[in-house]
Amino acid sequence: MPNLCIVGLQWGDEGKGKIVDFFADRFDGVVRYNGGSNAGHTIVIGGRTFVFHLLPSGSLKKKKLLIGPGVALDPLTLEGELRLVREERGEADLLVDERCTLVTPYEKQMDAFIEGLRGDDAIGTTKRGIGPSYAMRALRLTPRAGDLVNGTFDMGNALSFYETFLRDLPEIETWKAEAKRVLQGKTGDVGQTIMEMNESGRSVLFEGAQGVLLDIVYGTYPYVTGAHTLANYVPAGLGIPNSYLGEVMGVAKAYTTRVGGGPFPTEIFGESGEKIRAIGREYGATTGRPRRVGWLDLVGLRYAVRINGVSELALTKLDILTKVKEMKVCEAYSIDGAETSDFGRALPKLGRVEPVYREMSSLFGLELEDGGLPGPAEKLVGLLEDALKVKVSLVSTGQERSATMNRSM
Ligand code: IMO
Ligand code: MG
């Protein structure tokens, strides 16, 4: 059975958690391959809301849970989520890659310190230590999950490094002991495990964190996260051949949001934006910050679909637009009097592009339950399919798992 990768196409918060949860039953394992506890993946089951930052969103089902080496792992956050899963459905079957980058309390402190240095140009990071932990790995100063468990890494150089910048460093020995206890018996080789699962007929779902536009290389640098977010990163990040990636399903919200700083061409200032934020509950699942809200941006989406190799699309939160009277979709950007629909080339000037909108019939008051979509909603989906050249195979019309329309049949 082929694997499937779920990847965000905007600036994160597209609803990946819900889509992963929707598909999880068809797979034997769910794999986190990137990011860390900067992610906040929300699942609503029977009116109860669960947010996972590190564990895969398939955690409430009895699935093999895998955390790959490309994840920046905060063992104490992991422990909290493992406890939640234990209380809900029993012990999780978790394997953490022994090469996983760790987030220690120092990286979190460093994250806040660097944000302070940036002043008005702050990125607005989640302060979960993500950027610093990838940086410390690149500097080869930080232990990996296996190093911590095996006690084979001397953190002395990291401590000397941090003492240069930070005051009031917390004592690290307690953290090391706790982190080791959390990870003990759970580390191994995730890539090998995935290949063995596939070879014995069991498939996995790869759960992307963040979104394409937050990718450290292909996103809106420097207003990005500290590592890779593309589906293309799955094979390299997990140490598996490209052929194991399987299909790539992109997730896009029917409007756009962004948390933190950085250019946002379709941002809505004023009443419609506030309305969407309130109705769509657009507050960060990790930090609680209000998300910036904007119209759907086909220019950014086309770029994301193209560089990710997306083969089908899940459109989320369409129901929110049925509660808003205004409706716009951005089809191109205007820069210095010229129009372009090439996001990659517009990127260096993204802060001063003007969106070119198509006025659409509003979805206000439409009922999205059961059967096919009503005319104006179907028109929006058609516009997306034409512009992106991919099938919109899922439409999410509410938070609950059951509020999902399958259009692939
Ligand atoms: P999910 O997986 C939304 C954003 C932060 C900030 C920038 C850098 O839930 O979609 P970082 O802490 O990563 O160094 O912050 O990236 N960011 C996210 N925004 N959803 C996420 O993940 C995010 N992960 C990071 O808000 O602007
Ligand atoms: Mg989020």
Side-chain angles (χ1 to χ4, degrees):
M1 208 207 282
N3 300 330
L4 174 70
C5 178
I6 305 285
V7 64
L9 299 180
Q10 294 155 326
W11 280 287
D13 303 326
E14 297 91 352
K16 297 176 291 290
K18 176 186 159 165
I19 303 301
V20 168
D21 174 69
F22 178 80
F23 280 115
D25 277 337
R26 304 186 199 173
F27 296 85
D28 301 284
V30 188
V31 190
R32 272 287 303 269
Y33 63 89
N34 74 319
S37 47
N38 49 350
H41 295 181
T42 306
I43 302 166
V44 179
I45 306 167
R48 290 181 67 203
T49 301
F50 300 89
V51 182
F52 289 104
H53 302 287
L54 268 176
L55 278 181
S57 296
S59 293
L60 294 172
K61 304 185 170 178
K62 296 232 174 236
K63 301 291 163 187
K64 178 106 191 143
L65 306 176
L66 299 145
I67 296 184
V71 170
L73 182 81
D74 179 339
L76 304 191
T77 301
L78 180 68
E79 184 183 36
E81 296 189 0
L82 285 170
R83 197 179 315 121
L84 170 81
V85 170
R86 190 178 302 124
E87 284 160 10
E88 287 296 318
R89 66 125 176 107
E91 204 60 48
D93 178 12
L94 171 69
L95 184 70
V96 173
D97 197 277
E98 58 211 2
R99 307 170 189 84
C100 218
T101 302
L102 294 179
V103 182
T104 77
Y106 296 159
E107 279 78 50
K108 288 192 230 174
Q109 225 170 300
M110 193 67 168
D111 203 345
F113 173 75
I114 296 171
E115 280 287 88
L117 291 183
R118 292 188 221 272
D120 289 345
D121 299 325
I123 291 171
T125 73
T126 57
K127 301 208 173 85
R128 296 298 184 273
I130 305 303
S133 78
Y134 288 122
M136 288 297 275
R137 175 160 190 147
L139 293 171
R140 284 139 293 172
L141 286 173
T142 195
R144 302 165 300 172
D147 301 325
L148 188 82
V149 169
N150 299 325
T152 50
F153 199 92
D154 180 359
M155 284 181 69
N157 291 331
L159 295 191
S160 308
F161 175 83
Y162 279 125
E163 274 161 6
T164 317
F165 302 100
L166 304 176
R167 268 183 265 272
D168 305 322
L169 284 176
E171 188 268 320
I172 199 72
E173 291 308 318
T174 314
W175 177 86
K176 271 167 71 179
E178 283 177 23
K180 183 172 172 177
R181 182 176 43 75
V182 175
L183 294 172
Q184 195 95 48
K186 298 188 183 71
T187 55
D189 190 325
V190 165
Q192 283 295 327
T193 304
I194 293 170
M195 288 193 274
E196 283 161 16
M197 285 176 74
N198 280 184
E199 281 148 19
S200 67
R202 291 172 296 154
S203 57
V204 297
L205 190 54
F206 301 109
E207 173 177 357
Q210 291 87 50
V212 169
L213 305 183
L214 286 173
D215 184 271
I216 191 165
V217 179
Y218 297 99
T220 48
Y221 187 87
Y223 296 95
V224 292
T225 188
H228 308 284
T229 64
L230 304 190
N232 316 41
Y233 180 59
V234 165
L238 289 160
I240 56 178
N242 293 344
S243 57
Y244 284 70
L245 170 61
E247 292 292 311
V248 177
M249 173 176 270
V251 186
K253 194 145 64 177
Y255 47 93
T256 312
T257 59
R258 155 156 231 182
V259 193
F264 187 176
T266 64
E267 185 162 13
I268 310 170
F269 301 96
E271 207 183 315
S272 290
E274 276 159 32
K275 190 136 203 207
I276 294 175
R277 181 179 306 117
I279 299 167
R281 297 164 303 275
E282 295 297 350
Y283 293 87
T286 299
T287 58
R289 291 176 289 175
R291 295 175 184 149
R292 298 158 67 192
V293 172
W295 298 113
L296 191 64
D297 182 350
L298 295 179
V299 184
L301 278 184
R302 203 179 293 113
Y303 170 79
V305 162
R306 206 167 137 78
I307 66 174
N308 251 312
V310 165
S311 50
E312 54 186 318
L313 209 89
L315 183 66
T316 60
K317 288 195 150 178
L318 191 59
D319 52 309
I320 306 304
L321 292 182
T322 66
K323 304 195 174 69
V324 188
K325 291 204 171 114
E326 210 185 346
M327 173 71 194
K328 288 181 188 178
V329 173
C330 170
E331 287 191 308
Y333 298 151
S334 166
I335 316 176
D336 305 332
E339 259 186 41
T340 181
S341 52
D342 185 332
F343 187 90
R345 294 209 169 87
L347 243 176
K349 303 173 191 163
L350 206 62
R352 55 190 184 84
V353 307
E354 286 296 325
V356 179
Y357 285 117
R358 171 191 282 238
E359 295 286 340
M360 305 273 299
S361 331
S362 153
L363 307 192
F364 188 70
L366 295 181
E367 295 285 335
L368 298 180
E369 287 131 30
D370 309 328
L373 287 170
E378 194 58 49
K379 208 164 164 195
L380 175 66
V381 170
L383 178 69
L384 267 166
E385 292 185 331
D386 279 350
L388 307 178
K389 308 278 179 284
V390 284
K391 172 106 186 129
V392 174
S393 53
L394 280 189
V395 177
S396 168
T397 57
Q399 281 192 298
E400 288 280 347
R401 198 184 280 162
S402 54
T404 313
M405 285 184 191
N406 193 341
R407 299 177 76 253
S408 59
M409 275 99 70

